[in-house]
Amino acid sequence: MEGSDERNALEKTAHIARRLGAPDRMLRALTECKERADGSGTPNHLRGSQISSEGQLLGLACEFERVYREQWEHFESSGEPFAPVMVMLKRNRDRFAPDVLKALLLAGGFYQVGAIVELNSGALARVVSQNRGAPLRPLVEIVLDRHGNHPERRQMLDLREHPALSIVRTVTRGG
């Protein structure tokens, strides 16, 4: 959707939301979701704090969906589940408020529970759980050490507590 088609869709959505009794904050977010913190958005070219947090969050969600839809094949084959977020940050660092971008990073883990990941140590690990506030540093269980051997006993690592360790890539998705 481009230009007037997109504007018409947003107006229709706002009209339906209004008829359904949507709260004023939601209606405002719908009218502001195309605005950007640097003033580059449309239709009113609002800037920074003139745009509600809800409007920026909705805009960020729409932009994320657009970026992911455009490049989904690349993201799926790259083995890097946080690649869409990194593209979003690179493309939009000046277009959204820093606290809104931070919310995107902290919203959830980038590695699905059950995914097998490769650590920079060469070990393979299974993601056991996410770490709230540390989306790139989940709790993992080592399944193969760097030599390809199964550990003799269960080895759990909270990557928040091991700053020298990091995830290099996702080998298989969880689920």
Side-chain angles (χ1 to χ4, degrees), residues 10 17 31 40 46 56 107 130 133 148 173:
L10 283 172
T31 63
S40 65
L46 300 176
Q56 286 200 50
Q130 305 299 327
R173 287 186 284 181

Side-chain angles (χ1 to χ4, degrees), residues 24-25 33 57 67 102 109 116 122 128 133-134 141-142 148 160:
D24 289 341
R25 291 171 65 174
C33 68
L57 286 170
V67 166
K102 185 176 179 181
I116 302 297
V128 174
E141 178 182 6
I142 301 298
R160 274 188 312 201

Side-chain angles (χ1 to χ4, degrees), residues 86-104:
M86 302 320 277
V87 169
M88 283 289 301
L89 293 175
K90 184 176 178 182
R91 286 187 184 176
N92 295 289
R93 84 178 105 219
D94 297 326
R95 298 180 74 209
F96 292 97
D99 60 328
V100 173
L101 292 172
K102 185 176 179 181
L104 172 67

Side-chain angles (χ1 to χ4, degrees), residues 14 18 26-35 42-44:
R18 194 174 296 106
M26 179 184 282
L27 296 172
R28 181 177 176 190
L30 286 168
T31 63
E32 294 176 346
C33 68
K34 299 303 289 179
E35 303 290 344
T42 58
N44 301 314

Side-chain angles (χ1 to χ4, degrees), residues 69-89:
R69 186 180 53 227
E70 286 175 358
Q71 299 184 25
W72 74 272
E73 286 179 355
H74 168 72
F75 296 143
E76 289 290 316
S77 66
S78 72
E80 298 176 13
F82 57 91
V85 174
M86 302 320 277
V87 169
M88 283 289 301
L89 293 175

Side-chain angles (χ1 to χ4, degrees), residues 78-82 109-130 135-146 155 157-159 165-175:
S78 72
E80 298 176 13
F82 57 91
F110 295 111
Y111 301 100
Q112 288 182 316
V113 171
I116 302 297
V117 295
E118 180 182 355
L119 302 178
N120 61 343
S121 66
L124 293 181
R126 182 178 59 83
V127 175
V128 174
S129 68
Q130 305 299 327
L136 298 177
R137 311 212 45 86
L139 177 68
V140 299
E141 178 182 6
I142 301 298
V143 293
L144 293 175
D145 66 19
R146 68 175 171 225
Q155 187 178 2
L157 295 174
D158 185 339
L159 293 181
L165 289 176
S166 62
I167 295 174
V168 176
R169 69 185 178 98
T170 301
V171 178
T172 66
R173 287 186 284 181

